[in-house]
Every structure is written in structure tokens, then in C-alpha cells.
Amino acid sequence: MSIDKDTVMRIARLSRIAMEEDALEPMAQELNGILAWVEQLGEVDTEGVEPMTGAIAATLPQRDDDAEAGTATDDLLANAPEADDGFFVVPKVVE
């Protein structure tokens, strides 16, 4: 796939990016270079390579998933400007 000046202009318009006329051709060449590099990546043999989420294989420490008693409702609502029946009262935002 090759990107020309008209395609760059269309992408810039859709992205709402202002581009000068003399900047379109260099941008087209740069985008074509990026696409060529991406095509090169597709040629790499990845058979047998496990997918990774980062550059090094690491596991995060995990804690037990134990249920704990939460903070008491009265303590949470103590600083609320207005509360009713154990709930925060907020202004109506939808008519």
C-alpha cells in the first residue's frame, strides 16, 4: 500500500490537523517508510515464540482474595453534605 499526497491531505482533514501544502509530500514519504517497516515486521518468523506482555517475564505479587469488613456506613456518610437512609444525596443531573 502506498500513500500519496491526496491520502495524507484526506487523513489530515479527517483528523482535523492543519497541514501546509508543502508538508504533504514529506509526510507521505514518512508514512510510506513506516508502512514498509510494519511490512518488514510481518516477515519475522515468530513460530514457537510465546506472547509476552513486557520485555521481561515477570509475575506480580498477589494477595489472597479474602472478604474484609468494609468501613462502617456511618463513618463514610459523616462528611457527606447530605445523606438519606444510608445513601449519599446528590443533585439531580438528568431532567
Side-chain angles (χ1 to χ4, degrees):
M1 175 180 176
S2 180
I3 295 180
D4 59 357
K5 228 169 64 166
D6 294 331
T7 306
V8 172
M9 189 169 25
R10 182 170 184 265
I11 292 170
R13 184 180 49 82
L14 290 173
S15 304
R16 294 189 169 98
I17 298 173
M19 290 196 72
E20 299 294 326
E21 184 69 31
D22 58 341
L24 294 175
E25 187 61 39
M27 182 60 71
Q29 291 174 1
E30 189 172 337
L31 290 173
N32 282 321
I34 292 169
L35 290 177
W37 182 76
V38 171
E39 286 177 10
Q40 242 182 349
L41 287 178
E43 297 171 5
V44 175
D45 180 24
T46 58
E47 188 68 33
V49 177
E50 292 292 323
M52 297 177 61
T53 58
I56 58 171
T59 57
L60 294 174
Q62 297 189 3
R63 62 175 172 80
D64 293 333
D65 191 15
D66 296 330
E68 299 176 5
T71 307
T73 305
D74 294 335
D75 293 340
L76 289 173
L77 295 174
N79 293 325
E82 190 176 348
D84 183 27
D85 197 26
F87 295 96
F88 291 99
V89 176
V90 295
K92 184 177 180 180
V93 293
V94 177
E95 297 285 332

